């Protein structure tokens, strides 16, 4: 579920018109005011819905959207609220490295999307991180490794790849940190590359 934005295909999109704060061009979705009572009710109701139909956890996507729109504290508070109201579910956060030090005590895991590679939406191709970007990725990896040890959270990785050779390198990279890897050549995540 998206905690930092909303797309037009969501049944509650109409309810979000007054709380939209920008557009995410890559995904054709909209950033929202995370602290709005409207949004908080939507998110907490969605969590309840997932629990009611039998899911044992939630995946919190677009945490970065809240960070990009200067809503760090707001998204931290929302994640805390999700945990407080749902103490027995699994909560996995996607990225959000700028807030993960504060959210780690309230989550069960982090997905490191774009761990070894990054997807270029314009060229529809994946490429390896390099230079200062790679240095930043490595620093985030060390941070997550430390949080994993401190809080016992699980760290998953997701890389978009062009071929099986790239997938192998991504998996090797994840295993160096003792993270759990997944690779795909489909930006919509309709398939994964299984190398077993």
């Amino acid at each position: 579920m998206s905690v930092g934005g909303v797309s037009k295909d969501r049944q509650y999109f109409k309810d979000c018109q007054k709380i939209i704060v920008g557009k995410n061009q890559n995904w054709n979705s909209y950033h929202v005011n995370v602290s709005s009572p409207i949004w908080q009710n939507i998110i907490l109701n969605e969590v309840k819905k997932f629990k009611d139909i039998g899911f044992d956890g939630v995946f919190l996507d677009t945490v970065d959207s809240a960070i990009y729109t200067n809503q760090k504290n707001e998204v931290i508070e929302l994640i805390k609220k999700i945990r407080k109201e749902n103490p027995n579910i699994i909560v996995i956060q996607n990225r959000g490295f700028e807030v993960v030090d504060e959210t780690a005590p309230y989550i069960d895991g982090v997905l490191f999307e774009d761990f070894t590679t990054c997807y270029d939406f314009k060229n529809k191709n994946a490429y390896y991180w390099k230079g200062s970007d790679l240095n930043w990725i490595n620093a985030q990896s060390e941070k997550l490794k430390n949080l994993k040890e401190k809080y016992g959270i699980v760290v998953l990785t997701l890389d978009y790849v062009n071929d099986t050779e790239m997938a192998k390198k991504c998996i090797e990279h994840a295993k160096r940190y003792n993270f759990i890897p997944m690779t795909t050549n489909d930006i919509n995540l309709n398939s994964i590359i299984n190398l077993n």
Side-chain angles (χ1 to χ4, degrees):
M1 55 186 277
S2 176
V3 294
V6 63
S7 55
K8 286 183 177 176
D9 63 348
R10 296 294 174 207
Q11 65 206 31
Y12 46 81
F13 180 71
K14 230 166 51 176
D15 301 330
C16 297
Q17 297 310 297
K18 292 180 180 172
I19 59 169
I20 289 173
V21 296
K23 185 163 186 183
N24 183 331
Q25 298 295 341
N26 285 338
W27 293 103
N28 196 24
S29 60
Y30 298 87
H31 305 297
V32 295
N33 175 353
V34 174
S35 63
S36 161
I38 293 168
W39 186 244
Q40 302 229 343
N41 286 335
I42 287 170
I43 292 299
L44 294 169
N45 284 336
E46 285 296 292
V47 174
K48 184 181 182 316
K49 247 193 262 182
F50 289 139
K51 281 170 42 181
D52 289 348
I53 59 174
F55 286 98
D56 57 3
V58 291
F59 175 73
L60 308 181
D61 204 6
T62 66
V63 174
D64 281 347
S65 292
I67 293 164
Y68 299 149
T69 54
N70 298 313
Q71 300 183 83
K72 282 186 193 178
N73 293 332
E74 291 83 350
V75 80
I76 291 166
E77 291 308 312
L78 179 56
I79 291 169
K80 284 182 183 177
K81 193 180 275 191
I82 290 168
R83 170 54 75 209
K84 185 178 178 191
E85 294 195 13
N86 304 278
N88 300 317
I89 66 169
I90 297 167
V91 178
I92 305 291
Q93 171 180 316
N94 188 11
R95 294 181 63 100
F97 304 124
E98 293 85 347
V99 299
V100 74
D101 286 314
E102 287 83 14
T103 60
Y106 306 96
I107 60 176
D108 299 288
V110 174
L111 174 68
F112 196 147
E113 189 174 6
D114 297 325
F115 174 63
T116 307
T117 64
C118 185
Y119 186 77
D120 183 331
F121 282 84
K122 188 177 176 186
N123 298 317
K124 300 191 181 332
N125 219 4
Y127 62 89
Y128 292 108
W129 291 113
K130 293 179 182 167
S132 60
D133 289 332
L134 180 59
N135 293 338
W136 185 85
I137 292 288
N138 291 337
Q140 303 318 305
S141 301
E142 287 298 327
K143 179 198 283 193
L144 290 179
K145 189 175 160 193
N146 293 335
L147 290 171
K148 180 178 185 281
E149 290 167 11
K150 183 174 180 179
Y151 295 105
I153 61 174
V154 172
V155 181
L156 312 162
T157 66
L158 170 62
D159 281 303
Y160 302 100
V161 298
N162 303 324
D163 51 46
T164 53
E165 192 54 41
M166 192 178 244
K168 282 179 193 170
K169 287 184 179 176
C170 293
I171 290 167
E172 286 166 14
H173 182 212
K175 287 184 175 175
R176 280 200 296 272
Y177 286 94
N178 215 12
F179 297 165
I180 300 169
M182 184 179 91
T183 59
T184 182
N185 59 2
D186 178 5
I187 192 67
N188 294 310
L189 302 176
N190 291 317
S191 66
I192 61 168
I193 295 177
N194 187 347
L195 298 176
N196 293 332

